[in-house]
Structure formats: C-alpha cells, structure tokens
Amino acid sequence: MSDVARIAMWSGPRTVSTALMRAWENRPDTAVTDEPLYAFYLDRTGLAHPGRDDVIASQPTDWRVVLAELTSGPLPPGVTIGYAKHMTHHLLPEVDRAALAGLRHAHLIRDPRELLASYAKVRDEPDLDDLGLRQQAEIFEAFGGPVVDSRDLLADPEPILRALCQALDVPFDAGMLSWPPGPRDSDGVWAPYWYASVHASTGFASYRPPAELLPGRLEPLAARCL
C-alpha cells in the first residue's frame, strides 16, 4: 500500500454522509473533498437542483479531471489521507469505471425503506436512479471495500469507525468522534441548502427510527432497492 490513502466513500441520499465527512475532516492527517462529481452530474443531466449554476461554476464538469485529481493530485503538507464524499447517483454511465481503480473504496448504506420514507418528503415519485443503489452495487462488485450501515454508525460510532479505519488500512483517530460546529471551507457551495443540521452538530446524533411511514405506492421500489 502507498503511504498516501485516497478514499472514496460512496453513499446515496439521506444517509449521514456529511457527518461522516466531518469525522474524517477533524483528523489532522486528512483533507476532504465534498461531492466532487456533482458539477459533472448537473452539467450532463440538466437537472434544476438548488444553486445549480453555483455548483457548476465551483467544480470541473469533466469527470476525467475530477478523478485524475482524486487519484494522483497533490495533498496539502502533512496530509496523508485524501477522503472524498461521493453520491453514487453522480456516477453516470459515461464515467470509465477503470479510472476509479486507484482509490480505496468504502460504502455507507441505509435501510432502503427508511431512506425512501425520508426521501419521499423531498421528491414525491423517486426512482431507482435517484437513489444510486444500482451504481453502488456496481462499484462494490468491481472494487469491494468495507460497508457501513448508517444505523450502526449512529448507534455506536467508535467501534464502527475503528473497524472502518482498519478495513481501509489507516489508523483510527479519536478526533473522528466529535468536531466543532459550523460550516467549513471544504463544504460544497450547496451547503446553505442542505447542511443546516450538520452545521449545528458537534458529533454523530443518536439513531432514531424515521417518523414517516413508507407510502404504499413506494413499496415496489423498496423491494427493488432491497
């Protein structure tokens, strides 16, 4: 293994991916990158997400440039871990999966029924591509990597983070368990739309079952997700 660890953490929406990014950023040996394929995704799909123009202006829209930087770009002095928080649905078919081979992959998942019950509050009729589960399974089948259930992470953060670090061949750092509140320079420009709860946090919140019930119309999609 190289002395530099370049980690790609893959997850769909409505997980605790931003809190997990905070945990890694609170390590002195780690630099984080927030959803580096987001501008590429918006540029190619034409979707009207909040702050779309700002997102596209803030990042490269060429996936080749993004992945070259993640796999071989320089890290700041003293930093030996590059950690990228990825949304799996950003991985459109045109991205050459072979370009991901230089990364250490890991996966953050959530019970699809809980995920859909939460996501349905934002989008009434989600589909499988919105959730990125097909892409996540594809990445896992190609590259493997540790899988973390977000419920387990919230229920008992320290042993889960220790196991994750061991699986990624990096030392555990107790600083991952808490962090100062507020925004970070590394947050994507979309943070004002999505990160209010993370900005108020100082650690992982306790797990709570979702208050929302899964709408009956989404049961077939939940079955596909499972």
Side-chain angles (χ1 to χ4, degrees), residues 152-173:
D152 295 337
L153 177 60
L154 294 177
D156 209 356
E158 183 170 348
I160 296 298
L161 291 171
R162 285 184 178 276
L164 175 61
C165 289
Q166 182 177 13
L168 290 169
D169 197 24
V170 298
F172 171 72
D173 188 305

Side-chain angles (χ1 to χ4, degrees), residues 11-22 25 32-36 38 50 55 59 83-87 90 179-202:
S11 70
R14 300 285 166 169
T15 59
V16 292
S17 59
T18 308
L20 185 55
M21 180 177 71
R22 283 284 187 274
E25 187 173 27
V32 304
T33 306
D34 194 6
E35 300 184 28
Y38 195 8
V55 175
Q59 297 175 327
Y83 176 95
K85 167 198 163 193
H86 287 285
M87 294 289 102
H90 293 171
W179 49 83
R184 303 286 186 278
D185 291 342
S186 56
D187 290 346
V189 297
W190 52 90
Y193 303 102
W194 304 107
Y195 288 2
S197 61
V198 172
H199 287 171
S201 72
T202 58

Side-chain angles (χ1 to χ4, degrees), residues 66-145:
V66 173
L67 293 184
E69 179 66 21
L70 293 178
T71 56
S72 58
L75 294 174
V79 168
T80 56
I81 299 173
Y83 176 95
K85 167 198 163 193
H86 287 285
M87 294 289 102
T88 51
H89 56 281
H90 293 171
L91 197 63
L92 297 176
E94 71 179 83
V95 178
D96 182 1
R97 296 338 192 220
L100 301 169
L103 302 169
R104 302 185 195 184
H105 298 273
H107 305 268
L108 180 64
I109 62 172
R110 184 181 182 185
D111 183 315
R113 293 179 59 81
E114 292 188 4
L115 189 158
L116 278 170
S118 177
Y119 194 75
K121 297 189 301 180
V122 178
R123 184 170 180 179
D124 290 339
E125 299 297 335
D127 60 34
L128 196 58
D129 286 337
D130 293 327
L131 307 175
L133 292 175
R134 181 188 293 115
Q135 297 93 319
Q136 190 162 22
E138 178 187 342
I139 299 164
F140 180 78
E141 288 166 2
F143 302 107

